[in-house]
Amino acid sequence: MSSYIELESIMNKKHKSRASLIISRIFACLGLFILSFLILFFGSTTIICKGPSPKARDLFVNTVMETSAAKFLAKIYFSDEEIQNIIKKNSAEQLDEITDENLIVIPAELEVDNVAKPLEIIDISGSTYNGKMMIVLDPSRIKVATPPVLGNEAEGMRISDLVKNENAIAGINAGGFKDENGVGSGGQPLGIVIKNGKLVSDGGTSCVIGFDVNNKLIVGNMTSAQAVEKNLRDAVSFGPVFIVNGKRTEVAGWGGGLNPRTCIGQRQDGAVLLLTIDGRQATSLGATYGDCIDIMEEYGAINAANLDGGSSTVMYYNDKVINVSASVYGPRQLPTAFVVMPE
């Protein structure tokens, strides 16, 4: 009996030893894989940042500096001063103009036929990106949606909930928000927020993007008081302005890098252009500021501006997100959205 027990003990020890060996080998392989990946990744970024191509370096720096969580990658290789110099060489010109409402003429009665639908969605593509363009003929249908409460202690809402709370049918993300290290709760907007003619968040002077009581898209740098004086009914802050009064912003180099984008524009006939560009994916790296301006010009925008992008970029329609979010956690919590009301 004792011999059997001893034999069983020896066998158990052998099985445990084999299991421990297998586990240790698995961890060794995993560690080797991670180490190899890090060597390859940082080796590649070192070549990009310190290699012979200034264009590759500028593209890398401008791209990662527009993210919330990956800025550290540029700071590994460059000082703050060097980074700012690279961004300055690849930036959008700051325009002093503000929308001239007289240049926009909205028909008294919108004509809708088989060609010009009340709401149309078009697939957009370029050499480095794929995206969606939503065209809304009636600008009075565009509103700003917000959570019930905004502030440091508040939480934002996902685009689906913002759309549903307003009884809207579609929406895109809008203004920026406090988002340290990419883990912000989405409750504290940056700049101003105007909803239904009421200033619900005061952000001082900023690039304001919104619709006045005559349903005309107003873009430009202004104070909160100026925005109220211009009778803005629904507005947020972000930027830069891409097109104002038919004049495009000049962009140097890789302005903004290749990133997911959300933009808004208006044609001379009042139709609103809502654009989202997918990014940070193998099939869609993203778009630069210049790419977005080209798209907006192609579709007839007389005024247009950049909204918050990156992992916040989202377009929602027919009870689902119709673009590909760059966020690994799905659509983020947001403080604001531009939503499309029913006809």
Side-chain angles (χ1 to χ4, degrees), residues 144-300:
V144 164
T146 68
V149 179
L150 294 172
N152 275 321
E153 304 302 321
E155 288 193 356
M157 296 173 64
R158 289 180 174 82
I159 189 75
S160 56
D161 295 323
L162 288 168
V163 169
K164 290 173 184 176
N165 277 8
E166 294 289 334
N167 294 315
I169 62 169
I172 59 170
N173 63 295
F177 56 95
K178 190 176 180 180
D179 189 28
E180 293 181 7
N181 300 316
V183 293
S185 65
Q188 178 59 61
L190 299 177
I192 75 163
V193 178
I194 297 176
K195 178 176 170 59
N196 296 326
K198 181 180 178 181
L199 184 67
V200 296
S201 180
D202 189 344
T205 301
S206 60
C207 178
V208 176
I209 305 157
F211 292 86
D212 66 11
V213 293
N214 296 314
N215 304 316
K216 298 179 180 182
L217 179 64
I218 309 297
V219 298
N221 291 321
M222 64 188 83
T223 64
S224 301
Q226 288 173 320
V228 172
E229 287 174 6
K230 282 190 167 292
N231 292 320
L232 292 185
R233 60 165 172 81
D234 289 278
V236 299
S237 293
F238 207 71
V241 170
F242 282 157
I243 303 171
V244 60
N245 302 326
K247 302 172 187 175
R248 65 178 286 153
T249 297
E250 293 302 320
V251 179
W254 298 102
L258 295 177
N259 279 297
R261 302 283 174 200
T262 305
C263 312
I264 189 168
Q266 188 173 43
R267 299 189 320 215
Q268 194 166 14
D269 65 358
V272 178
L273 309 174
L274 305 175
L275 173 68
T276 58
I277 298 290
D278 297 335
R280 301 171 192 167
Q281 304 161 35
T283 56
S284 184
L285 297 177
T288 65
Y289 291 161
D291 292 329
C292 295
I293 295 171
D294 289 342
I295 295 168
M296 282 295 182
E297 280 195 326
E298 180 183 349
Y299 283 86

